[in-house]
Amino acid sequence: MEHALSPATLSELRRPRPYPAVSVLTPTHRREPDNAQDRVRLRNVVADAKKQLESDPGVTRERRADVADQLDRALAEVDLTYTEDGLVIFAAPGEHQVWSLGRPVPERVVLSDTFLTRNLVSAQAAERPYWVLSVSADRVTLWTGGPDRVAEEHLGGFPMARRQENFDAERREQIGDTPSTFRDEDTRHFLRDADTAMNRLLRLAPRPLYVTGEQAALSALDELGTVTRAAVHVPYGGLSHGTPESVWQAVRPMVAAEARRSVDTVSRALESALGRKEFAAGVDEVWQNAREARIRLLAVEENYRVTVRDDGDHLIPALSGDLDAREDIVDEIVEQCLETGADVRFVPDGTLGDASGIAGVLRY
């Protein structure tokens, strides 16, 4: 199952497909007893997708069989042992993907000539993803991080490894340490290569960056590098050979502190915008401004969800299952704001007070 949504991956998902490109969405659960229903619910929504394929006169028999087979393959790949809050299956002629999301999604099936990506975009923004680079003299490991975990990534040339030589053996024998390790030219060249590779990756998938390593390694990177110099340094060695849990425990205090600073920054920006009359609050007002590309900063409470109908001029409250109800309007707003260059921040529930779960700072 996929988790990390890079700009290149998003662009690939959004390209037109031969009809039908099927998007299957279903909420899932992390814990018992709620997750007991997930397997049955998933099978039912996939069965519904197949029924829609059967009843669509625009789908040929050959393509119907192809896409149904892709749905079956995707279903076989789902591992609900490690499920999160939502699951998305994409299936089209000759291809399928399964995405696990850390944000709930409405249950739905969509047949189109493109995949439905807005829920992936919103979930990615809500997770506040970041990179962790764990550095030692012989290995540099890349991790992708979210609010409560990290996982190793194999991309951009990472992990990088080299055979560690016996640096300055005579001095080590005399004083029992290896002070020359990060002054060795081969090691410095290795670290420069790691910094260059990280720079390339950040251009393709920009995120905050944390760098772990013993202090000598971090100092060498400061001297040699460019992109890692501006990162948050975590002076903790041994993590380039570590486990996801050990890396997470090392960076967690820094990630939590950054999250608190982010919430404070958002609160001040909203307060200032209110005084300048550049403030929007509530789903309808924010939606109107998002469609006009007026949102500069969007703030959304983490668990804010609302179902609405669009009457042409305004969004009005609706019930799930109502005709033309839009159950993922918040995800639509998030995607629209990101598309127009807004800064999107998710904040803890209750942060926005009278703003009813969603608010924005306007460009004008």
Side-chain angles (χ1 to χ4, degrees):
M1 294 191 292
E2 305 287 344
H3 295 269
L5 184 67
S6 70
T9 301
L10 180 59
S11 178
E12 166 61 19
L13 286 174
R14 284 176 167 168
R15 69 171 174 82
R17 259 80 178 172
Y19 187 84
V22 180
S23 302
V24 177
L25 289 73
T26 184
T28 52
H29 304 83
R30 297 175 186 247
R31 298 177 182 85
E32 296 179 340
D34 294 330
N35 61 7
Q37 63 181 295
D38 290 346
R39 175 62 63 183
V40 173
R41 191 168 187 174
L42 177 59
R43 289 188 178 278
N44 287 342
V45 73
V46 169
D48 181 45
K50 290 181 179 180
K51 287 181 182 177
Q52 292 193 35
L53 287 171
E54 288 284 345
S55 61
D56 191 330
V59 182
T60 65
R61 179 184 300 179
E62 181 181 357
R63 285 195 175 172
R64 183 182 304 124
D66 187 346
V67 176
D69 179 62
Q70 296 296 331
L71 286 169
D72 287 338
R73 293 186 184 190
L75 190 60
E77 291 176 9
V78 173
D79 185 355
L80 292 177
T81 305
Y82 303 103
T83 193
E84 298 176 278
D85 301 308
L87 193 72
V88 178
I89 292 175
F90 295 133
E95 63 173 320
H96 68 271
Q97 292 189 32
V98 180
W99 288 80
S100 177
L101 307 183
R103 182 170 168 81
V105 298
E107 184 171 291
R108 66 190 308 185
V109 175
V110 178
L111 275 63
S112 182
D113 59 358
T114 59
F115 292 138
L116 184 68
T117 60
R118 61 174 172 255
N119 305 94
L120 272 66
V121 171
S122 182
Q124 181 86 343
E127 285 210 345
R128 299 182 296 274
Y130 53 88
W131 298 116
V132 181
L133 198 67
S134 294
V135 179
S136 65
D138 65 326
R139 184 176 173 86
V140 179
T141 308
L142 178 70
W143 312 83
T144 182
D148 57 3
R149 69 185 188 282
V150 300
E152 187 174 356
E153 282 283 7
H154 290 76
L155 55 87
F158 296 104
M160 300 175 62
R162 63 187 282 259
R163 181 171 176 268
Q164 187 171 7
E165 303 294 342
N166 184 17
F167 298 104
D168 203 350
E170 183 178 351
R171 183 180 177 96
R172 177 163 59 180
E173 183 178 335
Q174 291 173 348
I175 64 175
D177 68 2
T178 56
S180 65
T181 298
F182 294 100
R183 293 197 297 271
D184 174 81
E185 190 54 40
D186 288 341
T187 303
R188 293 166 72 83
H189 182 75
F190 178 64
L191 296 181
R192 285 192 196 97
D193 287 347
D195 183 86
T196 300
M198 193 68 231
N199 192 23
R200 285 195 300 265
L201 179 60
L202 284 173
R203 286 198 298 269
L204 294 173
R207 299 183 187 180
L209 174 63
Y210 298 83
V211 182
T212 77
E214 60 181 276
Q215 188 57 58
L218 299 180
S219 297
L221 280 171
D222 266 351
E223 178 185 347
L224 299 167
T226 55
V227 63
T228 50
R229 189 182 306 164
V232 177
H233 286 190
V234 183
Y236 196 116
L239 297 179
S240 62
H241 297 272
T243 64
E245 179 63 20
S246 63
V247 175
W248 166 239
Q249 292 300 330
V251 302
R252 183 171 63 172
M254 302 288 190
V255 172
E258 182 56 37
R260 289 191 295 270
R261 284 193 293 270
S262 177
V263 171
D264 291 343
T265 299
V266 169
S267 297
R268 290 194 298 269
L270 292 172
E271 184 177 355
S272 177
L274 183 61
R276 299 191 309 271
K277 302 188 184 304
E278 296 176 354
F279 177 80
V283 67
D284 183 47
E285 187 175 345
V286 169
W287 173 238
Q288 300 294 333
N289 284 282
R291 289 195 298 179
E292 298 171 4
R294 295 186 63 197
I295 303 290
R296 178 168 60 85
L297 168 66
L298 178 71
V300 184
E301 292 186 354
E302 289 169 348
N303 293 300
Y304 178 60
R305 315 291 296 181
V306 61
T307 301
V308 299
R309 282 193 299 109
D310 186 350
D311 71 358
D313 295 316
H314 295 281
L315 299 179
I316 58 177
L319 297 176
S320 178
D322 282 357
L323 185 64
D324 298 328
R326 296 162 76 168
E327 298 185 39
D328 53 355
I329 189 64
V330 175
D331 289 355
E332 290 187 52
I333 292 172
V334 168
E335 184 182 48
Q336 177 68 30
C337 288
L338 289 170
E339 285 290 309
T340 55
D343 182 11
V344 176
R345 307 284 188 94
F346 283 79
V347 298
D349 294 347
T351 299
L352 302 180
D354 294 338
S356 300
I358 189 167
V361 176
L362 304 182
R363 292 190 167 101
Y364 56 90

